[in-house]
Amino acid sequence: MTYSYDVQAKNFTRAGAVSSEFKKELKKLNLPSALIKRIIIALYEGEVNVVAHSYGGSITCTISSESVIITIQDTGPGIPDIALAMKEGFSTASDEVREMGFGAGMGMANMKKNSDSLHITSAEGKETRIDLSFLLTFEEGT
Amino acid sequence: MSTSFKHSLYVDRESCKGCTRCMKQCPTSAIRIVQGIAQVDPEKCIDCGQCMAVCPHQAITIKGEQFNTIFSYTRRVAIIPSVLIGQFDEEVTEQMMIDAIYDLGFTDVFYAEFGIDILRTLGNHISVYSDSLPVISSYCPAVVRLIQLSYPSLLSHVNLVKTPSQITSMYARSALENEGVLPEEIGIFYISGCAAKVAQVLNGPSARKELMSGTLNLDTLVNMMQPLLSKPSRSDKPFAISHPLPPITSSSFLYSVTGGESAGMSGRKMAIDEIHNVIEFLDLVEDERLSPVDFLELRACDTGCTGGILTVRNRFCATERIRYSGSKHPEELPPDVAKRITERGQDLLYHLKSERLTSKPALSLDENPIKALKKLEKAHAIEQILPGLDCGLCGYPSCRVLSEEIVQGNTSIRSCSVLKMNSPETLNRLEKIWGSLPRTIRDA
């Protein structure tokens, strides 16, 4: 089951729309609420990154009987130093973005913390693609 | 899945026209129109009363006790919310209202919110029992039920202290029994301004100490008080006996209007009212997208309990009146009242905490996630075919809900009137793919 969403750059009024839409779907599956929470927190961070830092992009979420795979794909401008971007507190957010209450530098770290695996491909001037995966276990606390 | 939860709202089959307004308003998609009549799914209903508010035919009503049931008891205790005081204009004093309530046949009258004063007196501060921050108020039963149904991950945030009316009820019972009144002679009636509190009493604790005998609808009581308080009868025959005002502090008096509960909480706090706002907010809390806050006061009704479905007067006027009347009450309880509470302490102290809440998930398509996923896939395929107008003619609130109900085997694609109108041939073909309604349901 695959869901595809478009994400507009700089449209902060819609930031979070994808994650809340997808959360409603996950809640129909009787998954442990702690698992849903992890997925949604990571997805939200990824969604906000696309809104705040990129030229726009898309998100696809695929649910199978083993996992939830989320692919966040933007159209640039790319991350020059991925290792630095993963650091807690590191932020390249503009003042404009910070004024909206975003850009605390926890986005990438939160994505890593909440997912079972995270894979980034990016380079300066290139597109960024982030693959997040979550294993479906049915035993996490509710 | 069967439910043991008793609801307070019911649909009058004679008056319901099946107009779909309630169905579209329902925040939990609990309403279906079946054969032209609204039907409420007891698993999903949170008794918020939104359906009743929008019904143009007064077809949705709340089960309250018949007033005369109070006379089955020799001691008839009225637990009134301060919202009742807001239902009358300035010409009617609080004293007159209290006298009118006694005149109707009650022998004892307490303010529901006096329970806060009891809690403060016994605990010296408002006690909060919850496992996680922010603490979510347990005061509004519609909100608590919403969390049980849709936000199970937030259950550990809910404050597990009994509600003010439950505490007041325990106190009243304890005080009367201490006077030597037999338990079976005591009838305690909560005057409810909303559907959710009626349901709360219907499903209340079974322990005798905490048991309320029933609820009376606030609008019924206001209607009965009205003739006693109207001008001619007032000037001819003032109340023979003037009763003492039930004790309450000014801050407790404001507890049920928006901001009233959070005012007494320490730390950073927020007050959110109206059910759709509450839902939006619970999503923020659930996704950890909220800046640090310690306490959340959440109310299903606009302006708090003055917006309750059984209230009579404009909620803004009622709120202003409550604030005004509240300011006339003392900041501290009189010492003799505090002493009486302390004397009952042993009876109450171990019963102030409510039972741990359990989740009642009603959103999932199947208990087994793998089966649920299969159903979700099928529902999405069906939704692609449906017109997406959410017209409600099928009796379901949206095309998405209809597609899920088809998957659950509760209806067939034939119930879509738009498809039927546009292309009956396609419909035949679709029915072959997605299945017709099982014979058992069709014949029912």
Side-chain angles (χ1 to χ4, degrees):
Chain A
M1 170 99 245
T2 300
Y3 297 83
S4 302
Y5 307 94
D6 286 328
V7 184
Q8 285 178 343
K10 305 290 179 272
N11 187 353
F12 288 96
T13 50
R14 296 284 299 160
V18 172
S19 35
S20 59
E21 190 69 13
F22 190 57
K23 183 166 82 173
K24 283 184 198 144
E25 298 300 299
L26 290 175
K27 282 192 173 183
K28 292 174 187 169
L29 298 177
N30 205 27
L31 297 171
S33 52
L35 173 64
I36 297 181
K37 192 170 179 172
R38 286 201 291 124
I39 298 173
I40 296 306
I41 289 174
L43 171 60
Y44 176 74
E45 297 290 3
E47 184 185 357
V48 169
N49 276 352
V50 176
V51 175
H53 302 293
S54 83
Y55 305 143
S58 64
I59 296 177
T60 53
C61 306
T62 305
I63 315 172
S64 70
S65 53
E66 291 87 36
S67 64
V68 171
I69 309 281
I70 296 175
T71 303
I72 302 158
Q73 171 84 55
D74 70 25
T75 50
I79 304 169
D81 185 342
I82 295 176
L84 188 60
M86 293 302 297
K87 272 196 179 156
E88 282 190 19
F90 176 78
S91 175
T92 55
S94 63
D95 288 348
E96 176 202 355
V97 168
R98 287 170 201 260
E99 272 168 28
M100 307 288 296
F102 302 99
M106 296 304 291
M108 301 295 268
N110 257 343
M111 271 193 270
K112 188 167 176 57
K113 194 175 87 189
N114 285 290
S115 59
D116 292 315
S117 86
L118 174 146
H119 185 258
I120 307 183
T121 44
S122 184
E124 193 158 8
K126 295 274 168 60
E127 301 169 348
T128 298
R129 177 187 163 124
I130 300 176
D131 293 288
L132 297 167
S133 73
F134 304 85
L135 300 178
L136 295 197
T137 50
F138 305 121
E139 282 148 24
E140 289 189 50
T142 47
Chain B
M1 231 190 300
S2 70
T3 179
S4 55
F5 193 88
K6 300 184 198 87
H7 292 281
S8 60
L9 292 160
Y10 74 101
V11 180
D12 175 21
R13 298 182 64 87
E14 297 295 308
S15 319
C16 178
K17 305 267 187 289
C19 72
T20 75
R21 279 182 221 224
C22 55
M23 179 175 82
K24 303 213 148 176
Q25 184 69 16
C26 178
T28 58
S29 295
I31 301 179
R32 309 280 181 265
I33 310 294
V34 182
Q35 291 171 341
I37 309 275
Q39 243 177 40
V40 184
D41 180 349
E43 300 287 343
K44 295 197 174 110
C45 175
I46 58 168
D47 297 280
C48 67
Q50 292 268 331
C51 51
M52 191 175 164
V54 294
C55 178
H57 309 292
Q58 284 82 50
I60 299 177
T61 40
I62 294 178
K63 287 174 198 154
E65 300 286 337
Q66 291 291 316
F67 188 81
N68 280 341
T69 34
I70 74 162
F71 295 106
S72 330
Y73 302 91
T74 42
R75 285 303 276 270
R76 301 175 288 274
V77 183
I79 310 263
I80 59 166
S82 68
V83 165
L84 177 67
I85 303 303
Q87 303 309 305
F88 295 89
D89 63 29
E90 304 298 320
E91 292 184 344
V92 181
T93 63
E94 203 177 323
Q95 181 68 59
M96 288 155 73
M97 289 182 233
I98 298 299
D99 288 342
I101 295 167
Y102 278 104
D103 221 47
L104 288 173
F106 285 102
T107 59
D108 304 82
V109 180
F110 290 91
Y111 279 116
E113 295 83 1
F114 176 54
I116 301 304
D117 294 322
I118 297 173
L119 203 56
R120 278 191 195 132
T121 308
L122 294 176
N124 214 12
H125 61 281
I126 299 183
S127 313
V128 169
Y129 302 102
S130 115
D131 300 329
S132 321
L133 281 179
V135 176
I136 297 176
S137 162
S138 59
Y139 181 71
C140 176
V143 171
V144 172
R145 201 165 148 74
L146 176 68
I147 293 172
Q148 288 180 293
L149 294 183
S150 306
Y151 300 92
S153 68
L154 299 180
L155 282 171
S156 64
H157 293 257
V158 178
N159 187 9
L160 292 176
V161 174
K162 287 220 169 74
T163 62
S165 60
Q166 288 169 334
I167 294 170
T168 305
S169 170
M170 280 196 292
Y171 171 79
R173 199 170 279 281
S174 167
L176 287 176
E177 285 180 14
N178 186 53
E179 277 178 32
V181 184
L182 295 172
E184 58 270 26
E185 291 176 341
I186 304 169
I188 300 180
F189 293 87
Y190 178 66
I191 315 302
S192 179
C194 73
K197 295 217 183 78
V198 174
Q200 187 178 43
V201 174
L202 282 174
N203 297 281
S206 48
R208 188 187 55 77
K209 265 183 190 308
E210 299 149 32
L211 200 63
M212 291 196 202
S213 316
T215 53
L216 297 166
N217 292 353
L218 184 98
D219 57 348
T220 309
L221 196 78
V222 169
N223 286 336
M224 292 177 78
M225 288 164 71
Q226 203 66 258
L228 300 172
L229 296 165
S230 64
K231 272 182 188 157
S233 67
R234 234 151 63 195
S235 45
D236 295 352
K237 183 180 78 69
F239 295 107
I241 311 157
S242 197
H243 296 82
L245 284 184
I248 189 163
T249 61
S250 54
S251 59
S252 299
F253 202 79
L254 303 182
Y255 197 81
S256 69
V257 296
T258 301
E261 181 185 14
S262 52
M265 295 294 168
S266 53
R268 297 179 73 170
K269 55 235 174 170
M270 293 178 84
I272 287 91
D273 57 15
E274 204 279 325
I275 192 75
H276 297 91
N277 295 335
V278 168
I279 290 172
E280 190 184 329
F281 210 80
L282 287 173
D283 275 313
L284 286 181
V285 182
E286 192 176 53
D287 302 346
E288 295 185 358
R289 281 157 59 188
L290 200 62
S291 41
V293 58
D294 302 297
F295 184 81
L296 294 175
E297 173 191 310
L298 305 177
R299 302 282 189 266
C301 294
D302 191 16
T303 69
C305 296
T306 43
I309 188 70
L310 289 171
T311 59
V312 179
R313 197 159 173 235
N314 175 287
R315 59 191 183 279
F316 299 102
C317 299
T319 302
E320 195 280 332
R321 171 76 201 255
I322 291 168
R323 289 193 188 286
Y324 177 74
S325 292
S327 68
K328 307 284 172 200
H329 285 276
E331 280 176 33
E332 300 287 336
L333 284 182
D336 60 315
V337 177
K339 184 164 167 281
R340 266 181 278 152
I341 293 172
T342 316
E343 282 166 5
R344 306 266 49 82
Q346 285 311 311
D347 263 9
L348 305 176
L349 267 175
Y350 300 103
H351 302 280
L352 296 174
K353 212 170 153 181
S354 58
E355 282 165 29
R356 204 156 274 283
L357 295 162
T358 51
S359 70
K360 306 221 159 54
L363 300 178
S364 49
L365 294 171
D366 201 290
E367 273 186 53
N368 177 332
I370 308 289
K371 284 186 188 162
L373 181 59
K374 290 257 178 310
K375 287 182 180 178
L376 190 62
E377 282 170 355
K378 208 170 156 187
H380 270 265
I382 297 173
E383 200 191 346
Q384 301 303 313
I385 302 160
L386 295 174
L389 297 173
D390 295 343
C391 66
L393 285 176
C394 58
Y396 297 92
S398 64
C399 294
R400 175 161 293 186
V401 175
L402 173 62
S403 65
E404 288 167 6
E405 295 279 352
I406 294 171
V407 168
Q408 297 288 32
N410 296 331
T411 185
S412 93
I413 199 151
R414 283 204 169 273
S415 54
C416 178
S417 307
V418 178
L419 278 185
K420 226 182 281 179
M421 240 165 22
N422 285 351
S423 55
E425 301 81 25
T426 323
L427 197 59
N428 287 336
R429 218 168 53 238
L430 290 172
E431 196 179 29
K432 278 191 191 126
I433 302 170
W434 298 115
S436 55
L437 200 57
R439 185 165 293 278
T440 45
I441 299 179
R442 212 166 36 210
D443 295 344

